[in-house]
Every structure is written in C-alpha cells, then in structure tokens.
Amino acid sequence: MQTSAFAHWLVVLVETLAALFMVLLAVAVMVVLVVWLVDRNQTANSVLRNFPVIGHFRYWFLHLGEFFRQYLYSSDREEMPFNRAQRTWVYRAAKNVDNTNAFGSSRDLRAEGVPFFVNAPFPSLGEQHVKPKPVTLGPYAREPYSHAAFFNISAMSFGALSAPAVRALSIGAAKAGIWMDTGEGGLAPYHLEGGCDIIFEIGTAKYGVRTPDGKLDDQKLLAICAHPQVKMVSIKLGQGAKPGMGGLLPGVKVTPEIAAIRGIPVGEDSQSPNRHLDIGNVTELMNAVRHIRDLTGKPTGFKAVMGGLDWIDELCEEVHRRGIESAPDFIIVDGSEGGTGAAPQTLMEGVGLPLRESLPALVNTLIRHGLRDRIKVICSGKCITAYDVAWALSMGADFVNSARGFMLALGCIQSLQCNRNTCPTGITTQNTKLQRGLVVTDKSERVYHYAKNVMQEVGIIAHSCGVEEPRQLDRTHCRVMGDDGVSVPLVKLFPYPQTPASRV
Ligand SMILES: Cc1cc2nc3c(=O)[nH]c(=O)nc-3n(C[C@H](O)[C@H](O)[C@H](O)COP(=O)(O)O)c2cc1C
C-alpha cells in the first residue's frame, strides 16, 4: 500500500517536472525567436544584424575577458595602469607583511626607461642615518608650514571617494604623520576625523567655497582655513588625467551630503569649468595666490599639468618683478599618467607631459630663475612604489604625492569603475551597501603601514646610494636604461642648469 502511494507520487513528480521542462523549453524557444527577430531587424549593430542571438556572446565574453585577464592570463608585469607586481607590492606594504622576493626580479631590467639607482661602494651606516628633516613651505605666509614626510596623500575629493575611504585615509595619515589633500570637493568632516594635516584644494568650480554664481566666497574659505588642521591652500589649475578640463561628478554620486558640502544640487551631474573663471593668465594666477595667502595666512600654491613651460618662465619673471615673497609657495606638478574619478580617454591618453619629463623641466626652470628654494616642488603621477618615489626625489621633488597608491592600500582591486558608482571595494562609490566592505579601522592601519613602509624603503635606497636621508638623493644617484641597453645617468639626461649670478 505504502509502496504504491510512493510510486504514484514519484510518477506525479516526474510528470510535473517534465511538464515544467517543456514549458521552460517553449518559453526559451519563444525568447530566442523574439531576440532573433529583434536582432535581425535592428539597424544599429551590424554584428547582431548578421549573427542574431549568438552575436550577444561577443559582449558577454568581452566583459568576462576583463576578469579572466586580470586573474588568470595576464603576466605579473603586463597590466595597466598598474601591473600585478606593483599592486602586490603595495598590498604587502599596506598589510605590513614580508615584502621580500626570492630567486630574482621578474622586472625586465633591460627595458628602455627603467630607472635604477647607483649604489655606493660604501653605503652609509645605520648610525649615520637621519630622519628626513622638515621642509618649510610659505616662509612669508602668516602661518608657514613645516613638514618632514616626503610621501603624502594626493588630492581625491569626497564625492569621488566614499566617506569610509576618506575616514580611513584621514586616520591613517594622522598616524603616519603625512598630509592629505582634500581634492576639489570641499572639506568634509571625514577629512578632519583622524586629525591629520590637510591641504585644502580649490577646484575650478570652487566647491565648498563658492558663491551661488561660482566665484570665490572669502568668508567660506576663511571658515575652512580656521580649522588648525588645514595647513595650506592649493589652487587646482589642472590634473594629469584631464588637462584643460574640469572635473565631472556623475549625478548618481551627488548625495544630499555631498551636494551640501560642495554647494550644488542633489543628484545632478556636476561639471566644473575648464579653468577658474577669474584666472586666465599668469598675472591673475599670481593675484589669486596673493589674495588667498593674505586672506587665510596659509601657504598657497597651485597644481598643474605641464604642457609647454613658457608660462612658468613668465611666472618666475613676474615673481622677480613683484618681489620674492609674492611667489607661489609650492607647485604641484601632476604627470599626464595621473588617475581620476572620471575623464575622457582622449585627454587621459593624449594630452600633457608625463612626469618623467615635466618634473625635471619644472625643477630646471625654477633653478634657472633662482627660485628653486623659494617655490617647493610637489609631484604626482604613478609614484606608488619606493623606487618611483626615490626617482622623483632624485629628480628634484621636495614631496611626492600619491592618489592611487593609497587607493590600493585601501583595498582597490583596479576594477576601473570609479566613474560608475559600482566600485566593488567601497572606495569610489556612494552606494552604502558597497561601502560596507571597507572597514575603516582595518584600512586606516593599511594606509599608515603603506606610507611608513614606502618611506622606510626609500630610506633603504638612499642609504645604499651612500646618503644620509632620501632628500639628499640627486640626479647623480639614478640612471635610466636607454634604447641601446646602456643606462645613462639622470644628470646627463637632464643636466642641472646654471642659476644666473644676479639671482643667486
Ligand atoms: C579617484 C580619484 C579622484 C581624484 N580627484 C582629484 C581631485 O579632486 N583634485 C585633483 O587635483 N586631483 C584629483 N585626482 C588626481 C590625483 O590627485 C593625482 O594627481 C593623480 O591621480 C596622480 O597620482 P597617482 O598616479 O598616484 O594616482 C584624483 C584621482 C583619483 C584616482
């Protein structure tokens, strides 16, 4: 009796499953037929018009290819902007785990452009090593700023970054004794949370310090600079990933909080102008520097991407005409290889000088005008490992900034989605579900360790080169591989110019 009931239910189950299968099959056939008809008759896509239905696999595989290449097929030294070897170095430095390799380097040391350092036959001894000395910016400002750490956090706005990302950077920066640049999105409470030094950036839309018609609101700037953590003000003329174009914050990222901090409408795309409305030449730039420095008392400079450098010559001449105290206190030179939250590929790939050319060109121009000591040079552009940073110091930078290095320290996996609000690691998204993945207490420690380990390893390079501290590195300490497989010292590639006696 029981057996026959069981058999009955088994038959019913099989019949039901078979019927369900037939229904699903019929639906699938119908769907395929409809897609086939739509594909065949649409006019926009030739592949689908010629290969209806199966043509869709092309897009699917293209999408999957991104993941397969990153995880399975690309070699350690292949990907851009940062290859796996570079990313792994940053991850390990940030996790503060052993970063030594065995057997030999996988980096092709014969490739053109590879820099390497000139070790001294007799490296400096431990007792000779000194901590990097503080460098003073803005000696004529009411509140000059002295800062020792040569590796700091580059401009990234709250908006491009999530709140937990900014908080983790702020806390980690304070622990490491490095500064954090606010980027162009205004000052958020998250920037102040950790207690680190802050560089306040004024972008072309003057977010956070704008009048309703987009001009500088002095009172708002004064209120921001009243925070003792705000040490300097940087006027953003441009950035490497999009020279000559303003920032773009997609509407999906403009939450009520971000809108309030920036002074813009909620949920609408926010495009900042290509340049400051009130800065259209060198004289106006100098006027803006003077105005902001006089108003706030803080050292003031600007961030730019170099194309030609004639305008820097012009600026230096103007400084000499007005008097040395009128000079911008620093210039942040951003290489064309710089990153961003969102920019057109055309600008990212085709406009502006890369840092390896623009940094020496800027430093040499300042030397020629006798302003190298007065105007401090800060640089950024793919300086994420210790030897990148050591290269920049050798070339003449006083400070090196990094944006994406610190994003990797926060756990970025280079999924290239900063502009879509879908960042899987919670760093560049305003989606709170995705932000949950970024645990501030853990990631702030990584920021701290990353900064500390980079500076420590730059110290190791410096000591190997026989100098006492990294800022003593110069162009005689680094060589660059040429196209004939023979390296050339930096000092030969980019000789130091003479400072005219009248301006020493
Ligand atoms: C997500 C993101 C947001 C950025 N936002 C700004 C910004 O608001 N202002 C700015 O001057 N630069 C901005 N940048 C550029 C960086 O400050 C930096 O100049 C550039 O990425 C080069 O440094 P890196 O190679 O270490 O990333 C941003 C970069 C990234 C990746």
Side-chain angles (χ1 to χ4, degrees), residues 303-324:
K303 174 173 179 173
V305 195
M306 299 298 150
L309 273 91
D310 294 352
W311 69 283
I312 299 289
D313 275 307
E314 207 187 308
L315 181 128
C316 294
E317 291 299 336
E318 178 93 14
V319 167
H320 285 299
R321 267 194 299 276
R322 294 188 184 199
I324 192 103

Side-chain angles (χ1 to χ4, degrees), residues 154-157 160 183-184 201 236 239 303 334 338-341 380-382 402-404 407:
S154 195
M156 288 182 282
S157 62
E184 66 171 329
E201 181 177 87
K236 178 188 168 183
Q239 69 178 91
K303 174 173 179 173
D334 200 25
T340 178
S380 50
K382 278 193 158 182
S402 176
R404 286 169 295 175
M407 287 173 69

